[in-house]
Amino acid sequence: EKVVPRWNVLILIITFVVVIILNILKGGGAFPSPLGIECGSISFWLSYAIILGWTFWVAHISRKRLIDKHEEKLECNYRYLASDLIWDKQSTLIYPAISSLAGLFAGTFGIGGGIVKGPLMLAMGVHPKVASASSACMILFTSFTATTSYIVFGLLIPEYALVCFVIGFLSTIVGQKLIFYLMNRYQRNSLIAFSVGFVVLLSAISMTAESILSGTAGVDMETGHICAVDQ
């Protein structure tokens, strides 16, 4: 437990790279597929099925490794800490299922998956520092993957993306420095939990206000085909 789980990191990176490659190869409305796959065709949706199949297969392998490791710890009379996660047969199904729903809502409503996963890990009993670091790590992979999808479908506005990237990057640095300073000064890990709760509350208020303003202003939320490209 004192060493970096290189096998887990390797699985994460390989899964990420494979998903990115498949996402690019299948193409989209604004990005022609290098393999000649037509957007909206059977081959296009089959590519999506392959991505899902690959993800579920990796999840299955990872779940088996976690269960095997847990059983080995039980045989060795391993003493779990209060903040340790016990990956048994039940938890390896429940928590990934909740995380999948978090990813679904993040993609549907345009919110960060970390807004859901951060409180989830705190509810699981994960140490606040570990929850914060894990959430930040996951956002790196999930956000980059989502960005490639927006690019191939022509949904990414480069000017907005650049400004939001700079603001998000600088805000992350300031936030990390501030929370570490406060934790070192007051020696309270609960500050991370409060900050996560504040971000979730602020996001909920912002989304509600945006929905109300858009509705009262009569904004027409147009929908179109997944392969349509706005000119």
Side-chain angles (χ1 to χ4, degrees):
E1 297 293 339
K2 294 182 180 181
V3 298
V4 176
R6 296 183 178 179
W7 174 256
N8 295 345
V9 176
L10 181 62
I11 291 178
L12 179 62
I13 294 176
I14 292 177
T15 304
F16 170 72
V17 172
V18 171
V19 170
I20 292 295
I21 293 176
L22 292 176
N23 207 17
I24 294 176
L25 290 179
K26 72 174 177 54
F31 181 80
S33 169
L35 302 180
I37 299 176
E38 183 179 354
C39 184
S41 63
I42 296 178
S43 300
F44 177 82
W45 295 112
L46 181 60
S47 301
Y48 265 119
I50 293 176
I51 294 176
L52 290 175
W54 163 255
T55 305
F56 279 117
W57 181 78
V58 172
H60 171 71
I61 297 299
S62 301
R63 177 177 183 267
K64 186 177 182 304
R65 285 180 54 83
L66 287 173
I67 293 176
D68 291 342
K69 188 175 182 180
H70 171 63
E71 292 178 351
E72 290 178 1
K73 289 180 178 180
L74 292 180
E75 294 177 357
C76 299
N77 295 322
Y78 180 85
R79 294 184 179 180
Y80 284 95
L81 298 177
S83 58
D84 286 342
L85 290 178
I86 301 178
W87 292 110
D88 53 20
K89 294 182 179 179
Q90 182 178 6
S91 61
T92 51
L93 288 176
I94 295 177
Y95 295 138
I98 298 177
S99 297
S100 298
L101 289 177
L104 178 62
F105 287 123
T108 303
F109 300 106
I111 62 176
I115 294 179
V116 181
K117 294 179 182 177
L120 171 62
M121 286 186 286
L122 292 176
M124 292 164 58
V126 178
H127 193 282
K129 288 185 178 181
V130 178
S132 176
S134 300
S135 178
C137 178
M138 287 187 290
I139 290 176
L140 170 65
F141 293 98
T142 56
S143 297
F144 194 92
T145 305
T147 301
T148 59
S149 296
Y150 291 140
I151 291 176
V152 297
F153 287 113
L155 301 175
L156 184 70
I157 303 177
E159 294 79 8
Y160 286 4
L162 179 60
V163 173
C164 291
F165 172 79
V166 174
I167 295 176
F169 183 80
L170 295 178
S171 299
T172 300
I173 295 178
V174 173
Q176 289 287 347
K177 295 292 184 181
L178 178 61
I179 197 67
F180 286 154
Y181 167 77
L182 294 176
M183 289 181 61
N184 290 331
R185 180 174 181 177
Y186 297 104
Q187 297 297 317
R188 293 179 61 88
N189 291 319
S190 58
L191 291 174
I192 296 180
F194 289 140
S195 65
V196 172
F198 174 76
V199 171
V200 173
L201 178 62
L202 183 62
S203 299
I205 294 175
S206 301
M207 291 179 62
T208 303
E210 176 65 22
S211 299
I212 295 175
L213 292 176
S214 299
T216 54
V219 177
D220 185 14
M221 303 300 292
E222 296 182 359
T223 58
H225 194 272
I226 188 174
C227 298
V229 181
D230 294 333
Q231 300 295 334

